[in-house]
Amino acid sequence: MMTNLFSTFDPSTSSMFSLNWLSLMIPTLLIPLNFWMKKTRSLQLINIITNTLHMEFKNLLNWTFTKGITLMIITTFWFIALNNLMGLMPYIFTATSHMAITLILALPIWLTLMIFGWIKNTNKMFAHLLPTGTPPALMMFMIMIETISNIIRPITLSIRLSANMIAGHLLLTLLGNQGTIFNMKNNFFILNTQMLLMMLELAVALIQGYVFIILISLYTTEVH
């Protein structure tokens, strides 16, 4: 019996160690598919998606500056996407629904970009704080707004990811708890609705990983 709707997101399973967090290690067992003697369909799909993302970010970012950074961005995408997809399976903990994980992903990347930008391109970083064509009376106000927006970027990145994962799981949980209340006809409607929501959650799991790395790449273009 659940004490509250958010009890499904409770990672605590023991007083010594939260075994649910072990789900973070599962992607490390799924990714190294190059050791197979024959290329599987899953490996071919991963290669297609990886190459497509690589070409997209290679064109989006300055290649002379970002040698190797596309590898970091694509790796982040696969880490988020696989954890989101695993969280849709029964009895597997969704690690990306917690700020403890999403903030760990967003904060170091944002901090690294900020340190690099302010050290290497100080003038350009100052220029980003004041949009072109701002009236003199609004300059101080716009600088304050841009400064605050830069500071809260890691928070918005982490909250966007965790909130989207929590929202979908809560909807599925709420519908699932109604099965013992209604009759068979209503349960059939609930089941169909849950199947549609599951399809939506599959799309959200991949889209949220893509949105996360797109925003990181856009922040990267601002520091060089």
Side-chain angles (χ1 to χ4, degrees), residues 167-200:
H169 285 66
L170 283 180
L171 285 175
L172 291 173
T173 303
L174 285 171
L175 287 175
N177 291 338
Q178 305 303 317
T180 57
I181 301 176
F182 298 106
N183 53 31
M184 184 62 66
K185 182 178 180 180
N186 290 330
N187 286 341
F188 181 75
F189 173 76
I190 292 175
L191 180 61
N192 289 332
T193 305
Q194 282 190 311
M195 292 177 63
L196 292 175
L197 281 176
M198 181 60 69
M199 294 175 62
L200 177 62

Short mmCIF file of all heavy atoms in Angstrom, two decimals, residues 167-200:
data_model
loop_
_atom_site.label_atom_id
_atom_site.label_comp_id
_atom_site.label_asym_id
_atom_site.label_seq_id
_atom_site.Cartn_x
_atom_site.Cartn_y
_atom_site.Cartn_z
N ALA A 167 6.32 13.23 -13.98
CA ALA A 167 4.95 13.48 -14.42
C ALA A 167 4.36 12.25 -15.12
O ALA A 167 3.23 11.84 -14.83
CB ALA A 167 4.91 14.69 -15.36
N GLY A 168 5.11 11.65 -16.02
CA GLY A 168 4.61 10.48 -16.73
C GLY A 168 4.39 9.29 -15.81
O GLY A 168 3.37 8.58 -15.92
N HIS A 169 5.33 9.07 -14.88
CA HIS A 169 5.18 7.95 -13.96
C HIS A 169 3.99 8.15 -13.03
O HIS A 169 3.30 7.18 -12.67
CB HIS A 169 6.47 7.78 -13.15
CG HIS A 169 7.58 7.16 -13.92
ND1 HIS A 169 8.18 7.80 -14.98
CD2 HIS A 169 8.21 5.97 -13.80
CE1 HIS A 169 9.14 7.03 -15.47
NE2 HIS A 169 9.17 5.91 -14.78
N LEU A 170 3.75 9.39 -12.62
CA LEU A 170 2.61 9.65 -11.75
C LEU A 170 1.28 9.38 -12.46
O LEU A 170 0.35 8.85 -11.86
CB LEU A 170 2.66 11.10 -11.25
CG LEU A 170 3.65 11.40 -10.13
CD1 LEU A 170 3.59 12.87 -9.76
CD2 LEU A 170 3.38 10.53 -8.91
N LEU A 171 1.19 9.76 -13.73
CA LEU A 171 -0.02 9.49 -14.49
C LEU A 171 -0.28 7.99 -14.61
O LEU A 171 -1.41 7.52 -14.44
CB LEU A 171 0.08 10.13 -15.88
CG LEU A 171 -0.09 11.64 -15.96
CD1 LEU A 171 0.16 12.13 -17.38
CD2 LEU A 171 -1.48 12.05 -15.49
N LEU A 172 0.78 7.23 -14.90
CA LEU A 172 0.63 5.78 -15.00
C LEU A 172 0.24 5.17 -13.65
O LEU A 172 -0.57 4.25 -13.59
CB LEU A 172 1.93 5.15 -15.51
CG LEU A 172 2.30 5.47 -16.96
CD1 LEU A 172 3.70 4.94 -17.27
CD2 LEU A 172 1.29 4.85 -17.91
N THR A 173 0.81 5.69 -12.57
CA THR A 173 0.49 5.18 -11.24
C THR A 173 -0.95 5.50 -10.86
O THR A 173 -1.66 4.65 -10.31
CB THR A 173 1.45 5.78 -10.19
OG1 THR A 173 2.79 5.49 -10.55
CG2 THR A 173 1.16 5.23 -8.82
N LEU A 174 -1.38 6.72 -11.14
CA LEU A 174 -2.76 7.10 -10.82
C LEU A 174 -3.77 6.24 -11.57
O LEU A 174 -4.77 5.79 -11.00
CB LEU A 174 -2.97 8.58 -11.16
CG LEU A 174 -2.36 9.60 -10.19
CD1 LEU A 174 -2.45 11.00 -10.78
CD2 LEU A 174 -3.04 9.53 -8.85
N LEU A 175 -3.52 6.01 -12.86
CA LEU A 175 -4.45 5.17 -13.64
C LEU A 175 -4.41 3.72 -13.17
O LEU A 175 -5.44 3.05 -13.12
CB LEU A 175 -4.10 5.26 -15.12
CG LEU A 175 -4.46 6.57 -15.82
CD1 LEU A 175 -3.95 6.57 -17.26
CD2 LEU A 175 -5.96 6.79 -15.81
N GLY A 176 -3.21 3.24 -12.83
CA GLY A 176 -3.11 1.86 -12.37
C GLY A 176 -3.83 1.62 -11.06
O GLY A 176 -4.37 0.53 -10.83
N ASN A 177 -3.88 2.61 -10.19
CA ASN A 177 -4.55 2.45 -8.90
C ASN A 177 -6.06 2.46 -9.02
O ASN A 177 -6.77 2.10 -8.06
CB ASN A 177 -4.12 3.57 -7.94
CG ASN A 177 -2.67 3.42 -7.51
OD1 ASN A 177 -2.10 2.34 -7.58
ND2 ASN A 177 -2.06 4.52 -7.08
N GLN A 178 -6.59 2.89 -10.17
CA GLN A 178 -8.03 2.93 -10.36
C GLN A 178 -8.60 1.58 -10.80
O GLN A 178 -9.82 1.43 -10.88
CB GLN A 178 -8.40 4.00 -11.40
CG GLN A 178 -7.87 5.38 -11.10
CD GLN A 178 -8.30 5.90 -9.76
OE1 GLN A 178 -9.46 5.77 -9.39
NE2 GLN A 178 -7.38 6.49 -9.03
N GLY A 179 -7.72 0.62 -11.11
CA GLY A 179 -8.21 -0.66 -11.63
C GLY A 179 -9.04 -1.45 -10.64
O GLY A 179 -9.92 -2.23 -11.04
N THR A 180 -8.80 -1.27 -9.36
CA THR A 180 -9.55 -2.03 -8.34
C THR A 180 -10.86 -1.35 -7.96
O THR A 180 -11.62 -1.89 -7.16
CB THR A 180 -8.68 -2.19 -7.09
OG1 THR A 180 -8.29 -0.89 -6.62
CG2 THR A 180 -7.43 -3.00 -7.41
N ILE A 181 -11.12 -0.19 -8.52
CA ILE A 181 -12.32 0.58 -8.15
C ILE A 181 -13.44 0.40 -9.18
O ILE A 181 -14.60 0.19 -8.81
CB ILE A 181 -11.98 2.07 -7.98
CG1 ILE A 181 -10.91 2.24 -6.90
CG2 ILE A 181 -13.22 2.88 -7.64
CD1 ILE A 181 -10.44 3.67 -6.74
N PHE A 182 -13.08 0.46 -10.45
CA PHE A 182 -14.09 0.45 -11.51
C PHE A 182 -14.38 -0.98 -11.98
O PHE A 182 -13.67 -1.93 -11.62
CB PHE A 182 -13.64 1.32 -12.68
CG PHE A 182 -13.45 2.76 -12.32
CD1 PHE A 182 -12.17 3.29 -12.19
CD2 PHE A 182 -14.54 3.58 -12.09
CE1 PHE A 182 -12.00 4.61 -11.86
CE2 PHE A 182 -14.38 4.90 -11.75
CZ PHE A 182 -13.09 5.43 -11.62
N ASN A 183 -15.41 -1.11 -12.82
CA ASN A 183 -15.78 -2.41 -13.36
C ASN A 183 -14.91 -2.75 -14.57
O ASN A 183 -14.01 -2.01 -14.94
CB ASN A 183 -17.27 -2.42 -13.74
CG ASN A 183 -17.63 -1.25 -14.67
OD1 ASN A 183 -16.80 -0.80 -15.46
ND2 ASN A 183 -18.86 -0.79 -14.57
N MET A 184 -15.22 -3.90 -15.19
CA MET A 184 -14.39 -4.41 -16.27
C MET A 184 -14.40 -3.47 -17.48
O MET A 184 -13.37 -3.27 -18.14
CB MET A 184 -14.88 -5.80 -16.70
CG MET A 184 -14.01 -6.45 -17.77
SD MET A 184 -12.31 -6.74 -17.18
CE MET A 184 -12.61 -7.96 -15.91
N LYS A 185 -15.54 -2.87 -17.78
CA LYS A 185 -15.63 -1.97 -18.92
C LYS A 185 -14.73 -0.75 -18.73
O LYS A 185 -14.00 -0.34 -19.64
CB LYS A 185 -17.09 -1.54 -19.13
CG LYS A 185 -17.28 -0.64 -20.34
CD LYS A 185 -18.75 -0.28 -20.51
CE LYS A 185 -18.94 0.63 -21.72
NZ LYS A 185 -20.38 0.99 -21.91
N ASN A 186 -14.76 -0.18 -17.56
CA ASN A 186 -13.91 0.97 -17.28
C ASN A 186 -12.44 0.57 -17.22
O ASN A 186 -11.56 1.34 -17.61
CB ASN A 186 -14.33 1.63 -15.97
CG ASN A 186 -15.67 2.33 -16.07
OD1 ASN A 186 -16.05 2.81 -17.14
ND2 ASN A 186 -16.42 2.36 -14.98
N ASN A 187 -12.16 -0.64 -16.73
CA ASN A 187 -10.78 -1.11 -16.68
C ASN A 187 -10.20 -1.27 -18.08
O ASN A 187 -9.00 -1.04 -18.30
CB ASN A 187 -10.69 -2.43 -15.93
CG ASN A 187 -10.85 -2.24 -14.43
OD1 ASN A 187 -10.68 -1.14 -13.92
ND2 ASN A 187 -11.20 -3.31 -13.74
N PHE A 188 -11.03 -1.69 -19.03
CA PHE A 188 -10.57 -1.80 -20.41
C PHE A 188 -10.18 -0.43 -20.96
O PHE A 188 -9.17 -0.28 -21.66
CB PHE A 188 -11.67 -2.44 -21.27
CG PHE A 188 -11.29 -2.62 -22.71
CD1 PHE A 188 -10.43 -3.64 -23.09
CD2 PHE A 188 -11.79 -1.77 -23.68
CE1 PHE A 188 -10.07 -3.81 -24.42
CE2 PHE A 188 -11.43 -1.93 -25.01
CZ PHE A 188 -10.57 -2.96 -25.38
N PHE A 189 -10.97 0.59 -20.63
CA PHE A 189 -10.64 1.96 -21.05
C PHE A 189 -9.35 2.44 -20.38
O PHE A 189 -8.50 3.07 -21.02
CB PHE A 189 -11.81 2.89 -20.70
CG PHE A 189 -11.49 4.34 -20.93
CD1 PHE A 189 -11.48 4.86 -22.22
CD2 PHE A 189 -11.22 5.18 -19.86
CE1 PHE A 189 -11.20 6.21 -22.43
CE2 PHE A 189 -10.93 6.52 -20.07
CZ PHE A 189 -10.92 7.03 -21.36
N ILE A 190 -9.19 2.12 -19.11
CA ILE A 190 -7.98 2.52 -18.38
C ILE A 190 -6.76 1.83 -18.97
O ILE A 190 -5.69 2.44 -19.12
CB ILE A 190 -8.13 2.20 -16.88
CG1 ILE A 190 -9.19 3.10 -16.25
CG2 ILE A 190 -6.80 2.37 -16.16
CD1 ILE A 190 -9.49 2.77 -14.81
N LEU A 191 -6.90 0.56 -19.33
CA LEU A 191 -5.78 -0.19 -19.90
C LEU A 191 -5.34 0.42 -21.23
O LEU A 191 -4.14 0.57 -21.50
CB LEU A 191 -6.16 -1.66 -20.08
CG LEU A 191 -5.08 -2.57 -20.67
CD1 LEU A 191 -3.86 -2.60 -19.77
CD2 LEU A 191 -5.62 -3.98 -20.87
N ASN A 192 -6.31 0.75 -22.07
CA ASN A 192 -5.97 1.38 -23.36
C ASN A 192 -5.31 2.74 -23.15
O ASN A 192 -4.37 3.10 -23.87
CB ASN A 192 -7.24 1.55 -24.20
CG ASN A 192 -7.76 0.22 -24.72
OD1 ASN A 192 -6.98 -0.71 -24.92
ND2 ASN A 192 -9.05 0.14 -24.95
N THR A 193 -5.80 3.48 -22.17
CA THR A 193 -5.19 4.79 -21.87
C THR A 193 -3.75 4.62 -21.39
O THR A 193 -2.86 5.38 -21.77
CB THR A 193 -6.02 5.53 -20.82
OG1 THR A 193 -7.38 5.63 -21.25
CG2 THR A 193 -5.46 6.93 -20.58
N GLN A 194 -3.52 3.60 -20.56
CA GLN A 194 -2.17 3.35 -20.07
C GLN A 194 -1.23 2.94 -21.21
O GLN A 194 -0.05 3.31 -21.20
CB GLN A 194 -2.18 2.27 -19.00
CG GLN A 194 -2.63 2.77 -17.64
CD GLN A 194 -2.41 1.74 -16.56
OE1 GLN A 194 -2.78 0.57 -16.71
NE2 GLN A 194 -1.79 2.15 -15.47
N MET A 195 -1.74 2.19 -22.16
CA MET A 195 -0.92 1.80 -23.30
C MET A 195 -0.53 3.03 -24.13
O MET A 195 0.61 3.16 -24.58
CB MET A 195 -1.66 0.79 -24.16
CG MET A 195 -1.87 -0.56 -23.50
SD MET A 195 -2.81 -1.71 -24.50
CE MET A 195 -1.74 -1.91 -25.91
N LEU A 196 -1.48 3.96 -24.31
CA LEU A 196 -1.17 5.19 -25.03
C LEU A 196 -0.16 6.03 -24.25
O LEU A 196 0.77 6.61 -24.84
CB LEU A 196 -2.45 5.99 -25.27
CG LEU A 196 -3.46 5.37 -26.24
CD1 LEU A 196 -4.73 6.22 -26.30
CD2 LEU A 196 -2.85 5.24 -27.64
N LEU A 197 -0.32 6.10 -22.94
CA LEU A 197 0.62 6.85 -22.11
C LEU A 197 2.01 6.21 -22.14
O LEU A 197 3.02 6.91 -22.11
CB LEU A 197 0.11 6.93 -20.67
CG LEU A 197 -0.98 7.97 -20.39
CD1 LEU A 197 -1.46 7.85 -18.95
CD2 LEU A 197 -0.46 9.37 -20.66
N MET A 198 2.05 4.88 -22.20
CA MET A 198 3.34 4.20 -22.27
C MET A 198 4.06 4.53 -23.57
O MET A 198 5.27 4.76 -23.59
CB MET A 198 3.14 2.70 -22.14
CG MET A 198 4.45 1.90 -22.17
SD MET A 198 5.59 2.34 -20.84
CE MET A 198 4.70 1.69 -19.43
N MET A 199 3.32 4.59 -24.67
CA MET A 199 3.92 4.99 -25.95
C MET A 199 4.43 6.43 -25.87
O MET A 199 5.51 6.74 -26.38
CB MET A 199 2.89 4.84 -27.07
CG MET A 199 2.47 3.42 -27.34
SD MET A 199 1.14 3.31 -28.56
CE MET A 199 1.94 4.02 -29.98
N LEU A 200 3.66 7.29 -25.21
CA LEU A 200 4.09 8.68 -25.05
C LEU A 200 5.34 8.75 -24.18
O LEU A 200 6.26 9.52 -24.47
CB LEU A 200 2.96 9.49 -24.42
CG LEU A 200 3.28 10.96 -24.11
CD1 LEU A 200 3.60 11.73 -25.39
CD2 LEU A 200 2.11 11.62 -23.39
#
